Amino acid sequence: MSAETVLIRVNGREVSVPLGQPLAQVLSAADPAMRLSPRDRAPRGMFCGMGLCFECMVEVDGLRRRSCLTPVSAGMVVRTREGAA
Ligand code: FES
C-alpha cells in the first residue's frame, strides 16, 4: 500500500511528495540545510522537529512557516533559504 502523493513546487522545481507528510521531512531528505542564518549566512536545518526552535523556517505560499509543523498539501509553493528565524 502506498501513500497518496501530490505535486508541490520547491524553489521553482516541481516535486512529487506524500500528502500530509511534515514538510520538514520532505525538505530534509533533499537537503538538510533548508535555510541560511540571517546573521552569518550559515546553513540551518530542522533541529527540534516539534515547533519550538524555529530552525526549520521556510516560505510557504508567501508566508513564513515552521516546516516541521506544516503538512504537505497539493500545489504548495515552497522557498527554502528565505525564512528567517
Ligand atoms: S525544527 Fe524546530 S521548530 Fe521546526
Side-chain angles (χ1 to χ4, degrees):
M1 186 168 124
S2 62
E4 180 183 354
T5 60
V6 293
L7 293 176
I8 65 172
R9 188 165 290 276
V10 179
N11 297 331
R13 196 169 57 101
E14 197 168 63
V15 293
S16 177
V17 296
L19 177 66
Q21 185 169 4
L23 181 58
Q25 264 185 328
V26 170
L27 298 175
S28 292
D31 182 1
M34 58 182 72
R35 69 178 184 87
L36 300 177
S37 165
R39 187 174 355 156
D40 60 5
R41 309 297 291 166
R44 310 298 296 192
M46 184 168 64
F47 182 68
C48 73
M50 57 185 184
L52 300 176
C53 72
F54 289 69
E55 291 292 342
C56 65
M57 194 70 81
V58 296
E59 189 179 298
V60 178
D61 296 332
L63 301 173
R64 294 184 340 168
R65 298 279 185 222
R66 286 171 285 179
S67 58
C68 68
L69 298 181
T70 305
V72 165
S73 63
M76 65 180 7
V77 177
V78 180
R79 288 191 346 162
T80 63
R81 303 188 182 268
E82 298 296 329

